[in-house]
Amino acid sequence: MSDSFLGEIRVFAFDYAPQQWAFCRGQLMPVAQNTALFQLIGTAFGGDGRVQFALPDLQGRAPMGVGQGPDLSPRHLGAAPGLPSEVLLPQHLPAHEHALWAQGGPATTSSPVGAVLAQGGSTGSRPTPVPTYAQATPDTPMAMAALAPAVGGGHMHNNTQPCLALNFCISLHGSFPVAG
């Protein structure tokens, strides 16, 4: 395998970590046996910093660059924002309205097929359906209370982007990277 930098992360399409590499699965490593790697990554990914430190955990995560681009939130080394699933609440939806329109003239049919709501009449003692619809262009907005707000059921929705599962491994040995 070609030379690597200590702490370098590579992607592998096979199901094991090569010699002198470890999976990036957040496991704790002893500081005393990995002093050079600890010097590089410290506790950015977890651990107490005295006895142990954690390797990055890329299980279910997409790697993202450190820093802040235009119109982006700052991202710090080891930050793990985002969730695999999310509950959308009404306050998460953009403000919008669902207007309910009707025909202001008299209803001419009792069938809703191809028709809109219109001014209806009363049945009195007739057993026949009352006209409630008109075959005309809607021209009258109805009261907002005529349409109830639609809210979600409070269930989680999957937030995962399309992805391909591969193994991310970190080099436990190699050349100590020098800042350029």
Side-chain angles (χ1 to χ4, degrees):
M1 176 175 256
S2 63
D3 293 338
S4 64
F5 285 113
L6 176 65
E8 176 182 350
I9 293 176
R10 290 187 189 173
V11 180
F12 296 97
F14 43 85
D15 202 25
Y16 59 89
Q19 284 185 345
Q20 301 185 345
W21 292 74
F23 289 118
C24 290
R25 295 184 178 163
Q27 63 270 41
L28 295 174
M29 304 291 285
V31 172
Q33 290 154 312
N34 299 280
T35 54
L37 182 57
F38 175 71
Q39 184 180 352
L40 287 171
I41 66 174
T43 58
F45 306 101
D48 62 16
R50 292 180 306 101
V51 177
Q52 59 193 11
F53 67 102
L55 297 180
D57 188 354
L58 283 164
Q59 296 176 106
R61 297 236 166 241
M64 174 178 50
V66 172
Q68 180 177 5
D71 299 323
L72 298 175
S73 303
R75 301 297 185 198
H76 304 283
L77 185 65
L83 300 169
S85 60
E86 182 69 49
V87 174
L88 290 180
L89 300 174
Q91 61 266 28
H92 298 139
L93 302 175
H96 66 285
E97 294 179 357
H98 295 268
L100 181 61
W101 285 79
Q103 171 50 241
T108 58
T109 180
S110 57
S111 172
V113 177
V116 297
L117 290 170
Q119 291 181 13
S122 65
T123 59
S125 60
R126 296 183 300 169
T128 58
V130 175
T132 310
Y133 306 97
Q135 304 262 338
T137 303
D139 63 1
T140 305
M142 295 183 70
M144 286 306 295
L147 189 63
V151 295
H155 302 289
M156 302 290 267
H157 79 89
N158 187 325
N159 219 21
T160 307
Q161 64 183 344
C163 56
L164 174 65
L166 296 167
N167 280 312
F168 287 83
C169 296
I170 186 168
S171 175
L172 301 177
H173 299 280
S175 301
F176 193 92
V178 179

